[in-house]
Amino acid sequence: MNQCESFLIGVGWLKDGDSFFSATPRREAPAFIVAWIMNACDSITLDGTTKPASVERGTYGHAQKMRAAMTYAFGRLHGLGDMPWHESEVLGSSRMLGNPSISVQVSTYMCSLRRRKVQAGEVAVSARAITSHLCLGPNKMSDIKPYYLWVLREEEAHLCAARALAEWIDASQITSGYLFRKIASGDRVAEANTPLVRAAVLQ
């Protein structure tokens, strides 16, 4: 939390002595969270230029921990829970409600960061645990036989289905039931064991 506030003060978005964390976050809170993670872990600077290769960058796993710290700070320490960030539905009110770390803006950024990390050849910890292949099936709902997904070489990591599947399991924390479930509001995986339907994917 102190590191985030120090960063915001350093870039001039927060006055010295002011607090970023509260039970009534400012409207631009999700953008501030993205900027903090971006500055520490991304290959892109805040002005959109590419960072020199010599500049040290945090891993995607570190970026996840930074976001988790924000989710905890707003959700637990300031009582905002896990309600997705949204505008109040009260007529005439422009107040933002919920946890700013659980917002479409932060979720979208984390997805784009993960894509850049994979393209750069970074392998998620969960993917490293796969020695050579994954065996899928059989499918109880059809006649599909078991089949294998082989781990591709490092230079083909961005095309590797086994790594992508491992990252999804790690991110969703699904250990039983449907592997691909309905997506709830705020880009969250639904807790109910409800399958993701084709129509939702095509939207």
Side-chain angles (χ1 to χ4, degrees), residues 92-112:
S93 173
S94 59
R95 181 185 176 191
M96 298 301 293
L97 303 174
N99 191 324
S101 184
I102 308 176
S103 62
V104 173
Q105 186 173 358
V106 177
S107 296
T108 300
Y109 170 73
M110 292 300 290
C111 288
S112 66

Side-chain angles (χ1 to χ4, degrees), residues 155-177:
E155 57 268 29
E156 298 176 321
H158 61 292
L159 301 174
C160 183
R163 284 186 172 87
L165 181 57
E167 289 178 5
W168 168 248
I169 294 173
D170 180 56
S172 65
Q173 297 295 300
I174 293 175
T175 58
S176 62

Side-chain angles (χ1 to χ4, degrees), residues 35-199:
W36 180 53
I37 297 173
M38 187 177 186
N39 181 68
C41 302
D42 212 327
S43 58
I44 302 173
T45 64
L46 298 180
D47 61 9
T49 58
T50 302
K51 291 179 182 177
S54 58
V55 176
E56 184 177 350
R57 297 186 290 272
T59 64
Y60 181 71
H62 183 65
Q64 288 180 304
K65 291 178 182 178
M66 292 174 73
R67 183 189 185 184
M70 297 295 97
T71 302
Y72 176 82
F74 284 108
R76 280 301 200 59
L77 301 184
H78 292 282
L80 298 178
D82 59 357
M83 178 184 294
W85 185 247
H86 65 284
E87 190 169 50
S88 172
E89 296 179 358
V90 176
L91 187 63
S93 173
S94 59
R95 181 185 176 191
M96 298 301 293
L97 303 174
N99 191 324
S101 184
I102 308 176
S103 62
V104 173
Q105 186 173 358
V106 177
S107 296
T108 300
Y109 170 73
M110 292 300 290
C111 288
S112 66
L113 175 63
R114 180 171 56 186
R115 183 169 57 251
R116 284 190 291 277
K117 291 291 189 181
V118 170
Q119 290 173 345
E122 180 181 315
V123 182
V125 174
S126 57
R128 288 197 184 110
I130 304 172
T131 55
S132 60
H133 64 272
L134 288 174
C135 180
L136 302 179
N139 188 335
K140 296 180 180 180
M141 303 300 290
S142 69
D143 295 326
I144 298 177
K145 303 299 182 183
Y147 59 95
Y148 293 94
L149 288 178
W150 296 91
V151 176
L152 301 181
R153 295 172 297 179
E154 290 289 336
E155 57 268 29
E156 298 176 321
H158 61 292
L159 301 174
C160 183
R163 284 186 172 87
L165 181 57
E167 289 178 5
W168 168 248
I169 294 173
D170 180 56
S172 65
Q173 297 295 300
I174 293 175
T175 58
S176 62
Y178 287 104
L179 181 57
F180 299 105
R181 297 183 183 177
K182 180 180 179 181
I183 302 300
S185 60
D187 292 336
R188 295 176 298 135
V189 178
E191 294 183 5
N193 187 28
T194 306
L196 180 68
V197 296
R198 182 179 303 177

